[in-house]
Amino acid sequence: MNKENKSKIKNNETFEKFNQKNDIFNRSLWDKTVRSKKTEKFYNDYTKPPESENRPEGYKHKDYAFRNATWFMSDTFSNIHKNNGRAEGFTDEFKVQKPGTKSKYIFKSNKDLTDEIKIIAKKLGADLVGITKSNPKWIYSHKYRRATDEVKPNKIDSSLNRVIVIANQMDKDLIDTAPSALSGSATGLGYSNDLTTILSLSQYIINLGYKAVPSQNDTALSIPLAIEAGLGEYARNGLLITKKFGPRVRISKIFTDLPLECDKPISFGVKNYCSICNKCADSCPPRAISFDKPSFKQINKSNIKGIKKWSVDAEKCFKFWASQSTDCSICIRVCPYNKDFDKLTHKIGIKLANTPFRYILIKLDNFFGNRKKPSEWWANK
Amino acid sequence: MNKENKSKIKNNETFEKFNQKNDIFNRSLWDKTVRSKKTEKFYNDYTKPPESENRPEGYKHKDYAFRNATWFMSDTFSNIHKNNGRAEGFTDEFKVQKPGTKSKYIFKSNKDLTDEIKIIAKKLGADLVGITKSNPKWIYSHKYRRATDEVKPNKIDSSLNRVIVIANQMDKDLIDTAPSALSGSATGLGYSNDLTTILSLSQYIINLGYKAVPSQNDTALSIPLAIEAGLGEYARNGLLITKKFGPRVRISKIFTDLPLECDKPISFGVKNYCSICNKCADSCPPRAISFDKPSFKQINKSNIKGIKKWSVDAEKCFKFWASQSTDCSICIRVCPYNKDFDKLTHKIGIKLANTPFRYILIKLDNFFGNRKKPSEWWANK
């Protein structure tokens, strides 16, 4: 079995495309088993930071003030067509681009085009870029409109047969303070940085006379597209693990009709490592991460049906977020792949993780990965 | 004379606050001596990239497509209240922030507050941050409204007595291709990156219960504020020279009522170096940069009156931009301070530039600073 087949995502006959109505954020609006006073407070706190100082460090006024500020750019763009009931980047694709040129720029070759798109993506802030086919399996079957509680079939222009998948790293120092409202700033920064990249890159493509539809959580599942675009491997914590930033990335994507050359999936030992390392499952306060082997089991309707993988219990996960009134990144912080891979020791470590030395690495890694105190972060220590 | 006095900006009795109506971009709309078919094409090309391939390299369809894409975020925000005749970031301050909290967050001390604001600014993308008093000398006497050709007194809330000045580096590789439409992408990226920083940082301040007014080219002159905030020294090319990025920065600012501690102006030899180095003046195709000593002479109405300094002829400068149909950064590219100061040799160089060795450095520097071919940039060489 070659590397490509090994990292291929397996489905069985029960497979069904995912309906975005069932993602946990949408369920927290329409599904009474998920919605609660706490989930409502969770969202309200993103609009207006809680001012109480009688809370543990990392959950105080200035932590929320900062976390909410990091979301500013994302909030602005997701609300840009709010009056039409759209939540761009969450349930709807972005429709903010300016018209382009009539003539199509002719590239010397598809290889040249692909190389140049990757250069431009990086100049526009992308940390990692991969290209894949627009695989219909990962396109949502239905969209959900939050404002009106409507479910509608998700249509996508069939000429958009390539996806440019972008991963941007999240701030390590902030993630190291998880769980805290402060660490939620890494998420906000991630969304806001992604935005600049995908909106500007889409405008570049449109300016060349081609089509580009920028997307964050809307339209399609990002993780399988990122895997198919060669950005990383799937992990026990339900996240993408990249070679350069481990699980500490945000993913966004652009659907386009540019005749781009596709990348291939990669394998660098994550599957084997996750099989014997249960650090994320061990560290998850609500026990939302499984200790089991990958399986076709659907824990609840927020999991896609008929895909063999490690699945996360989104109900338990989100209930914990609501109880803390901020998102949680513990499973990112404690992951042994959450390292600064510019450092030589970690460069060697990630190679060894793909060998039987992983058994020793797992033991060693228990000495690292402790939470940084939010007060230390604020003191710039 | 101590360092602070040495770098103080001198005015005489003819001093007048600058009227933004007279900046060259506004004059290119109302002043027939500046406006032309070429200046109109210059602006139109930012909306719709020219598609002709019969142009020199660096000025082709894909160069303009990229340059315009880098402006996407800035364009979106400057047009956000276009229907009210506002051009936010250019002639009007930004009014896009969400309401904040009622209670004011109480900091342990002004020192703590100042340190924390600088940490947050950097996490939000700022490369350099300085604080200064809101000096009324640099606030525009009048605003100009482009949509209606109106001139109105520029009022600013008197409680906003501190200015947080932000400088973000421009991309060196792109600047190295100046002059070209491609190098104009460094400008667009600079504006777009600045935006994220000042809009998010302002939201943070507002989320703490204080006031914040984010500003780019609107409201006040950025360079003297940056000098007073200790970000760098003034140079022959009319730009700010910073220690870390030389002249390769964009400047923006936030007016606030936070009781911040002010920084002090710095001096690291730029004035002496510029006095004997005429590289920018020599390299400027329209001869817009003076070979003379600093003086109170006003070249034309686009210069502020009654300030002793090197002045640039904005009419000649902008005429050249219009003739190329893109902005020009030659005086940034050729400046001996346009270096990558992470490199040890340049770290030593900037120290020597503040000693009599500058005479030798100037000779040596003629061997460097050549234009990079746009085709090499595209080939990622």
Side-chain angles (χ1 to χ4, degrees), chain B residues 311-325:
Chain B
S311 287
V312 169
D313 187 331
E315 292 177 7
K316 287 183 182 169
C317 173
F318 188 64
K319 200 171 176 182
F320 182 70
W321 290 23
S323 75
Q324 302 274 308
S325 201

Side-chain angles (χ1 to χ4, degrees), chain B residues 194-206:
Chain B
D194 270 7
L195 256 185
T196 306
T197 306
I198 60 168
L199 296 183
S200 309
L201 181 56
S202 295
Q203 191 61 54
Y204 173 63
I205 296 167
I206 291 166

Side-chain angles (χ1 to χ4, degrees), chain A residues 46 48-49 51 53 61-62 65-66 68-70 72-73 75-77 80 96-98 100-103 105 116 119-120 123-124 171 173-174 189 196 199-200 203-204 207-208 377-380, chain B residues 46 48-49 51 53 61-62 65-66 68-70 72-73 75-77 80 96-98 100-103 105 116 119-120 123-124 171 173-174 189 196 199-200 203-204 207-208 377-380:
Chain A
Y46 277 88
K48 206 175 154 300
E51 295 167 52
E53 284 301 294
H61 185 170
K62 70 180 176 181
F66 178 39
N68 291 6
T70 61
F72 176 79
M73 298 299 274
D75 288 349
T76 303
F77 278 93
I80 219 159
V96 289
Q97 310 303 145
K98 296 192 282 185
T101 50
K102 280 181 194 165
S103 70
Y105 182 85
E116 286 185 7
I119 292 170
I120 295 293
K123 278 289 167 189
L124 293 171
D171 187 280
D173 289 339
L174 285 167
L189 279 173
T196 307
L199 297 183
S200 308
Q203 191 61 54
Y204 173 64
N207 286 349
L208 294 173
W377 186 90
W378 281 102
N380 204 15
Chain B
Y46 278 88
K48 207 175 155 301
E51 295 167 52
E53 285 300 293
H61 184 170
K62 69 180 177 182
F66 178 39
N68 291 6
T70 62
F72 176 79
M73 298 300 274
D75 287 349
T76 303
F77 278 93
I80 219 159
V96 289
Q97 310 303 145
K98 295 191 283 184
T101 50
K102 281 180 192 166
S103 70
Y105 181 85
E116 286 185 8
I119 292 171
I120 295 294
K123 278 290 169 190
L124 293 171
D171 187 280
D173 288 339
L174 286 167
L189 280 173
T196 306
L199 296 183
S200 309
Q203 191 61 54
Y204 173 63
N207 287 349
L208 294 172
W377 186 91
W378 281 102
N380 204 15

Side-chain angles (χ1 to χ4, degrees), chain A residues 1-2 12 24 53 57 72 113 117 149 161 176 243 248 252 291 348 364:
Chain A
M1 200 159 65
N2 67 27
N12 66 13
I24 197 69
E53 284 301 294
E57 63 166 283
F72 176 79
L113 154 68
I117 282 288
D149 191 30
N161 54 20
D176 285 349
K243 265 188 181 172
R248 216 176 57 253
S252 55
F291 289 88
I348 297 167
L364 288 172

